[in-house]
Amino acid sequence: QGRMLTKEDKRNMMRLVARRNEHLKGGRVWEIMEYCITLVLMFILAFSIRATLFEPMRVKGSSMENTLMPGDYMAVEKLTYIFSSMKRGDVVICYYPKNDEYTCVKRIIGLPGDTVTILDGVVQVNGVTLKEDYVTTGMTAKHDGTYQVEEGCVFVMGDNRLVSRDSTDGMVGNIPKERVIGRVNRVLLPISHAKRLPKIEYDV
């Protein structure tokens, strides 16, 4: 007859089973390593998404009021222009020429080859007057002029024309396409400002 298992026997058996399961799982050290590797991969994925796909960015100036308000967090799509072309009316994040430190947010008004004419606050592209319901402020005489958009560049302006430093400024001029980071498609925060930016199309 077999003897009855004591409590100590049962505890020993449980320890043996636990050690066997630990061995099957690869051991405690492997579990920790696996956890750390998973965390690293998650961080790499998060930074990759931010660098190449999508990034929330904060509006710091007032040049795009009232479309974008200072302090708003906007969603910037970074793959848009890999698969589609830039369009007039798009709101974009870009670097000024010869300045890699600061970005700005502006609206594309002219595309390569376009002729942009501004007179008395009215903007024309290739002789067609733009309907700009998003503009809430006028312009001064300093904006008046005719601007030719070079190949490989876009002509950008802010919606708040009185304070915007944009392509009408001789120190800025046309923005090379490679200096456009991405397109702004919506406001994320604050919740009271959250919205999808309307698609703007001109009859040009």
Side-chain angles (χ1 to χ4, degrees):
Q1 295 180 350
R3 71 182 182 86
M4 296 289 293
L5 292 177
T6 65
K7 290 183 178 181
E8 184 61 28
D9 291 333
K10 292 178 180 178
R11 281 195 291 269
N12 288 334
M13 288 180 66
M14 290 177 66
R15 281 195 288 267
L16 286 171
V17 171
R19 279 200 294 269
R20 184 199 65 180
N21 291 341
E22 190 76 18
H23 177 71
L24 291 175
K25 290 188 293 184
R28 182 65 177 167
V29 174
W30 174 253
E31 278 191 358
I32 295 173
M33 289 179 61
E34 188 178 33
Y35 178 74
C36 292
I37 291 171
T38 301
L39 281 180
V40 170
L41 290 175
M42 288 176 63
F43 276 114
I44 291 175
L45 178 61
F47 281 112
S48 297
I49 290 174
R50 180 174 178 178
T52 61
L53 300 178
F54 163 86
E55 181 178 1
M57 298 183 72
R58 185 172 181 268
V59 180
K60 295 181 180 179
S62 58
S63 69
M64 283 297 292
E65 291 183 356
N66 290 320
T67 302
L68 299 170
M69 302 300 291
D72 282 354
Y73 279 87
M74 52 191 171
V76 182
E77 300 173 333
K78 295 189 174 184
L79 281 181
T80 299
Y81 296 131
I82 293 178
F83 301 104
S84 63
S85 58
M86 297 180 187
K87 296 179 176 59
R88 302 181 190 91
D90 286 355
V91 176
V92 297
I93 298 291
C94 56
Y95 286 104
Y96 286 124
K98 301 179 181 179
N99 187 334
D100 296 326
E101 186 175 357
Y102 300 107
T103 59
C104 60
V105 55
K106 305 294 177 186
R107 189 182 298 275
I108 295 178
I109 299 296
L111 297 175
D114 283 349
T115 300
V116 180
T117 303
I118 302 174
L119 181 63
D120 297 330
V122 177
V123 179
Q124 292 186 338
V125 176
N126 302 331
V128 177
T129 300
L130 301 187
K131 183 180 180 181
E132 297 187 288
D133 295 335
Y134 48 79
V135 175
T136 56
T137 60
M139 291 184 283
T140 63
K142 71 175 184 178
H143 296 96
D144 288 356
T146 298
Y147 309 87
Q148 191 67 36
V149 187
E150 302 164 357
E151 288 300 319
C153 297
V154 291
F155 185 94
V156 300
M157 298 180 72
D159 290 356
N160 186 359
R161 301 285 162 81
L162 289 181
V163 302
S164 177
R165 184 167 181 254
D166 49 39
S167 293
T168 61
D169 187 326
M171 297 298 291
V172 177
N174 297 319
I175 303 293
K177 286 185 176 181
E178 62 268 19
R179 298 188 70 79
V180 176
I181 298 173
R183 183 182 70 178
V184 180
N185 69 341
R186 65 175 64 242
V187 175
L188 301 173
L189 294 171
I191 296 298
S192 58
H193 291 179
K195 62 182 178 181
R196 185 173 184 85
L197 299 192
K199 185 178 180 180
I200 302 297
E201 294 184 352
Y202 307 123
D203 297 325
V204 178

